[in-house]
Amino acid sequence: MTPHRLDRATARRVAVRAQLLDAERPTGLLAVVDRLTFLQIDPTAAVAPNADLVAWSRLGAAYRPSHLTRALETERALFEHRAMVRPMTDLGLHLAEMATWPEDARRRDWLAANDAFRRYVLDLLRDSGPLLSRAVPDRSVVPWPSTGWTNNRNVTQMLEFLAARGEIAISGRIGRQRTWDIAERVYPPGTPAAPADEARRIRDERLLRSLGVARPTVVGQAGEPAEIEGTSGLWRVDPAALDGTPLAGRTALLSPFDRLVHDRKRALELFDFEYRLEMYVPKAQRRWGYFALPVLHHDRLVGKVDATADRKAGILRVDAIHEDVPFAPEVSTAVHGELTALASWLGLPEVHRVRKAQGRRLVGGTVA
């Protein structure tokens, strides 16, 4: 079919609305996760854990982290799998993939060599679960070899692998520590597995709906082809998003892992927004900060906020507000309003700010 021809402003508005970042906020957490298809779990909590921060960006003060815990552990409306929180109604779309995991010989060989350990873990969880990983003895025959942090972490690897295969599941958390149990006590019994090809097609369609526009490498052949001015190659667009509805925008502070900005190349192509997460960059070489929050204003990504939730001092510390382009007065007011709202949501009564930075890093009130 003939590709849709979109200008970048239209593509941006489609992307913002698809990610539930327009003025009309969603009705609750389950609606958010269903639309986004997942919330990414990440242990970094310089401001707040990623899943909570993404939910807050959509729901605002109506959201509480306890809502996520309840949906995962009590209601079982969501499930955590491979560092993603997903709707339980999507479980059947992942079961076929779980059943064929892993595809690489290295993991298959390690599991085969440790099959007695695998069966021991299943029996232990069936009899005594849910359990923390430290409650599972290491009975591996062959240690897990790695040049990284997983080297010889045999219990952790076995639990991760069994969860990836759908034999066990994450039952809940005690603090940040996961508890593990056999899958049938976490997942609804009798959930039918969609055939692998059908599951992939549906997952691609749902992912495109959550993104609005994306490259085929991300969503396959979901949606319809599109060309976007100023970019090369074809995109895929959700045709339902091209209904001509104008964007009623707002201002939002986003997690660095937020799907509006997660694909850094897409953010640059559509929004002219340059970004990288600088947690692992030496402090003296950071441009925007350890965990800088991208700033969305209507259909533009306009800057970054270098902020940290300083629990000890009882403040949301804002070390710099980086303006990609100079903020108009209404943008500046909206950004500061979001910072105040974020501090309130975090239960931090004070926001400490330094002067604004325009394309440069502020340290101690002076431009570095």
Side-chain angles (χ1 to χ4, degrees):
M1 65 179 297
T2 302
H4 296 274
R5 290 179 170 82
L6 310 179
D7 57 42
R8 287 206 296 169
T10 298
R12 287 195 301 269
R13 291 163 189 162
V14 165
V16 170
R17 289 178 62 198
Q19 279 286 296
L20 303 177
L21 288 164
D22 54 346
E24 185 178 352
R25 291 187 184 269
T27 56
L29 177 63
L30 297 185
V32 169
V33 183
D34 182 68
R35 178 56 177 262
L36 302 187
T37 77
F38 62 84
L39 298 177
Q40 181 179 342
I41 300 290
D42 187 89
T44 308
V47 175
N50 176 68
D52 292 324
L53 193 52
V54 170
W56 172 80
S57 293
R58 276 74 183 170
L59 295 165
Y63 172 72
R64 291 288 182 267
S66 60
H67 299 168
L68 180 57
T69 301
R70 184 172 67 245
L72 283 165
E73 300 180 18
T74 305
E75 300 168 353
R76 299 293 191 201
L78 305 174
F79 70 100
E80 181 181 340
H81 181 68
R82 306 195 72 182
M84 302 291 181
V85 171
R86 299 184 183 276
M88 191 66 82
T89 51
D90 281 1
L91 176 63
L93 301 178
H94 298 273
L95 290 176
E97 187 176 83
M98 292 180 190
T100 59
W101 192 96
E103 296 180 352
D104 63 293
R106 179 173 178 242
R107 290 179 173 85
R108 284 201 309 268
D109 291 347
W110 187 80
L111 282 167
N114 287 293
D115 188 59
F117 181 31
R118 179 188 72 85
R119 287 183 281 109
Y120 168 75
V121 171
L122 292 174
D123 289 342
L124 178 64
L125 292 178
R126 187 171 290 107
D127 293 340
S128 306
L131 296 174
L132 294 167
S133 61
R134 64 173 176 261
V136 179
D138 184 356
R139 294 196 178 183
S140 59
V141 176
V142 177
W144 174 254
S146 172
T147 57
W149 73 274
T150 60
N151 186 60
N152 206 35
R153 294 176 64 91
N154 304 311
V155 171
T156 299
Q157 289 300 94
M158 181 58 75
L159 293 169
E160 294 279 6
F161 290 1
L162 293 181
R165 288 159 59 100
E167 295 184 85
I168 69 173
I170 297 167
S171 176
R173 287 179 178 258
I174 299 175
R176 293 190 179 186
Q177 300 297 308
R178 294 169 294 182
T179 59
W180 305 86
D181 206 347
I182 54 172
E184 52 262 40
R185 286 203 289 255
V186 178
Y187 299 152
T191 300
D197 290 345
E198 179 185 354
R200 169 56 64 185
R201 176 184 60 79
I202 295 172
R203 294 205 310 265
D204 285 345
E205 290 173 352
R206 283 180 46 70
L207 183 59
L208 178 60
R209 182 170 179 256
S210 79
L211 296 171
V213 291
R215 292 292 190 177
T217 52
V218 177
V219 297
Q221 294 304 300
E224 296 175 356
E227 296 173 348
I228 299 176
E229 69 165 353
T231 70
S232 60
L234 284 176
W235 298 73
R236 306 296 295 185
V237 63
D238 175 14
L242 301 177
D243 59 3
T245 302
L247 175 72
R250 63 182 174 91
T251 302
L253 302 178
L254 307 179
S255 163
F257 300 107
D258 196 290
R259 256 39 202 183
L260 191 70
V261 298
H262 186 267
D263 184 334
R264 312 303 189 204
K265 182 178 179 182
R266 175 178 179 265
L268 188 62
E269 289 180 304
L270 298 186
F271 293 87
D272 291 320
F273 187 70
E274 182 185 359
Y275 185 85
R276 70 169 176 169
L277 185 59
E278 297 180 318
M279 289 191 302
Y280 305 110
V281 176
K283 186 173 182 179
Q285 298 175 25
R286 293 174 190 155
R287 297 174 61 187
W288 302 304
Y290 178 85
F291 197 75
L293 307 178
V295 179
L296 173 71
H297 182 71
H298 292 235
D299 68 337
R300 302 305 299 262
L301 290 161
V302 297
K304 300 95 178 169
V305 172
D306 181 11
T308 305
D310 189 337
R311 299 287 182 181
K312 186 175 181 179
I315 59 171
L316 176 66
R317 193 179 69 249
V318 181
D319 291 318
I321 298 175
H322 301 274
E323 302 180 5
D324 287 9
V325 294
F327 288 178
E330 64 271 18
V331 177
S332 183
T333 298
V335 170
H336 287 292
E338 283 300 296
L339 284 168
T340 299
L342 177 58
S344 176
W345 176 68
L346 292 168
L348 301 175
E350 181 180 351
V351 177
H352 173 69
R353 302 184 181 96
V354 299
R355 293 186 295 114
K356 67 181 179 180
Q358 190 168 314
R360 291 174 291 178
R361 166 82 175 149
L362 278 174
V363 179
T366 60
V367 178

